[in-house]
Amino acid sequence: MGNHTTVTEFVLLGLSGACELQMLIFLGLLLTYLLTLLGNLLVVLTLMDRRLHTPMYYFLRNSAILEIWFISVIFPKMLSNILTRYRTISLAGCFLQFCLYFFLGTTDFYLLAVMSFDRYVAICEPSRYVTIMSKRVCVQPVLCSWMTGFLIISVPSFIVFQQPFCGPNIINHFFCDNFPLLELICADTSLIELLGFILANFSLLGTLSVKATCYGHILHTILHNPSAKERQKAFSTCSSHITVVSLFYGSCIFMYVQSGKGSQGEDRNKVVALLNTMVTPMLNPFIYTLRNKQVKQVFREQVNKLFLQRCTGPERRGGSYLLA
């Protein structure tokens, strides 16, 4: 990175320094990681069914793929550090983790905003839904979300890692987060912090305002619907999305818009960061599948079909052999 950099690796303190808790933390994180991977993979595979090739499920499939990548940026290194008790991460590895974490997190903001607009059109403009949410209209905002996330985070990431890190090299976190890294730079970081604050507010509060506007119109439409059955259906459709948005945005606003200072603030940020990187991605697939009848129906049919093929496969092969 920069010519003045003398630190070649960082030490990640992790969640806790208590030796007796390390195995318990490792098992908990490993179980959570595997559940999150399995849940999101099941969502991706289930939503590939032809009956679910609609805009909403296209966005959910992209969201599940993003979550798989997002947790894989943090968890493997975190689990490896606990298991081997070798808590270091190279400067290049820290840079890559930093970039991917904020790139994927920022992309998620814009993807959730697109999903909010999709729900707005589906509920407030149902007669025009097919026309408005065409295949081209669905693909373009998703691509723009990924591109915007990359462009927003690329410049500040490059600036941060061009600064001189001349010691100490201890990061009081379980991954290379923004504020703990800035504390290790032996130069004035006020402009970097200002740039990060502006970009965080632009991405967080900007996309949140889009969601609030969409769901404000949705709520107005639902409350003025004379059919109680239709109101219940609309609330059920949007409740899972609102739950995810509340968890994700609440944790991110706490960490990056109003971050705590000092050791207590750092400890609180680690707990909230754990909610953001572990709990929300794990809940996403279960919230979407358990609250969506069509997805559950397709998933059950796929599972039954898979077991039926496994049970009847050998018999069919044996029968064809006898006939031959």
Side-chain angles (χ1 to χ4, degrees):
M1 314 328 191
N3 293 329
H4 300 287
T5 301
T6 56
V7 172
T8 58
E9 62 181 18
F10 296 102
V11 177
L12 296 170
L13 294 184
L15 288 172
S16 173
C19 295
E20 62 274 11
L21 296 177
Q22 296 307 304
M23 187 52 64
L24 183 63
I25 292 173
F26 175 81
L27 292 175
L29 292 175
L30 179 62
L31 179 62
T32 303
Y33 182 54
L34 294 177
L35 282 175
T36 306
L37 278 180
L38 178 62
N40 282 285
L41 282 172
L42 288 176
V43 170
V44 173
L45 295 175
T46 303
L47 297 185
M48 290 177 67
D49 189 277
R50 291 183 179 181
R51 289 166 292 179
L52 301 178
H53 283 187
T54 61
M56 182 179 75
Y57 298 120
Y58 172 72
F59 297 138
L60 288 177
R61 191 162 62 247
N62 272 273
S63 178
I65 293 171
L66 187 147
E67 295 292 3
I68 292 172
W69 195 3
F70 182 73
I71 61 169
S72 297
V73 170
I74 305 294
F75 273 73
K77 181 61 179 175
M78 191 176 176
L79 292 169
S80 173
N81 286 354
I82 296 175
L83 190 63
T84 63
R85 298 183 181 180
Y86 187 70
R87 299 188 175 188
T88 61
I89 184 172
S90 66
L91 185 63
C94 189
F95 172 73
L96 183 62
Q97 189 182 70
F98 181 93
C99 291
L100 288 176
Y101 172 80
F102 285 102
F103 158 57
L104 295 170
T106 305
T107 301
D108 210 0
F109 296 142
Y110 291 95
L111 190 57
L112 287 172
V114 172
M115 293 167 66
S116 299
F117 178 74
D118 171 73
R119 292 300 84 207
Y120 159 74
V121 177
I123 295 174
C124 300
E125 302 286 346
S127 60
R128 301 173 55 199
Y129 182 77
V130 177
T131 304
I132 296 175
M133 302 303 295
S134 62
K135 184 177 180 180
R136 180 179 61 85
V137 171
C138 290
V139 171
Q140 285 182 349
V142 169
L143 290 177
C144 288
S145 297
W146 287 90
M147 291 177 61
T148 303
F150 175 76
L151 292 174
I152 284 181
I153 202 59
S154 57
V155 173
S157 298
F158 181 78
I159 293 175
V160 167
F161 282 87
Q162 282 293 313
Q163 303 304 307
F165 294 96
C166 40
N169 66 336
I170 298 175
I171 298 177
N172 187 16
H173 216 306
F174 55 86
F175 73 101
C176 293
D177 200 5
N178 183 40
F179 291 113
L181 270 174
L182 291 180
E183 292 179 355
L184 304 183
I185 295 176
C186 45
D188 184 15
T189 61
S190 57
L191 291 179
I192 300 176
E193 292 179 19
L194 178 61
L195 176 62
F197 181 78
I198 292 172
L199 292 177
N201 276 277
F202 177 78
S203 297
L204 278 164
L205 303 182
T207 55
L208 184 59
S209 65
V210 173
K211 296 176 183 64
T213 302
C214 289
Y215 279 101
H217 286 289
I218 289 172
L219 182 61
H220 181 268
T221 302
I222 292 173
L223 293 177
H224 285 77
N225 193 321
S227 172
K229 185 177 180 180
E230 290 297 322
R231 287 200 302 269
Q232 184 180 3
K233 182 180 178 181
F235 273 121
S236 177
T237 302
C238 298
S239 59
S240 59
H241 192 185
I242 294 174
T243 302
V244 173
V245 168
S246 300
L247 288 172
F248 188 53
Y249 272 79
S251 59
C252 288
I253 289 174
F254 181 89
M255 287 191 296
Y256 302 114
V257 175
Q258 189 176 359
S259 177
K261 299 289 185 181
S263 58
Q264 291 185 349
E266 290 174 350
D267 291 338
R268 285 197 300 268
N269 281 350
K270 282 198 283 188
V271 174
V272 179
L274 197 64
L275 173 67
N276 183 42
T277 57
M278 183 176 75
V279 178
T280 305
M282 182 181 68
L283 290 178
N284 279 354
F286 298 103
I287 289 174
Y288 286 131
T289 53
L290 291 176
R291 299 185 65 89
N292 190 296
K293 294 180 180 179
Q294 191 175 8
V295 173
K296 288 191 293 183
Q297 178 64 28
V298 171
F299 176 70
R300 281 195 296 264
E301 291 177 5
Q302 289 182 349
V303 172
N304 291 336
K305 183 179 179 181
L306 178 63
F307 277 103
L308 185 62
Q309 288 176 346
R310 291 176 65 89
C311 292
T312 60
E315 296 177 4
R316 290 177 179 175
R317 287 193 296 269
S320 62
Y321 174 78
L322 292 174
L323 289 173

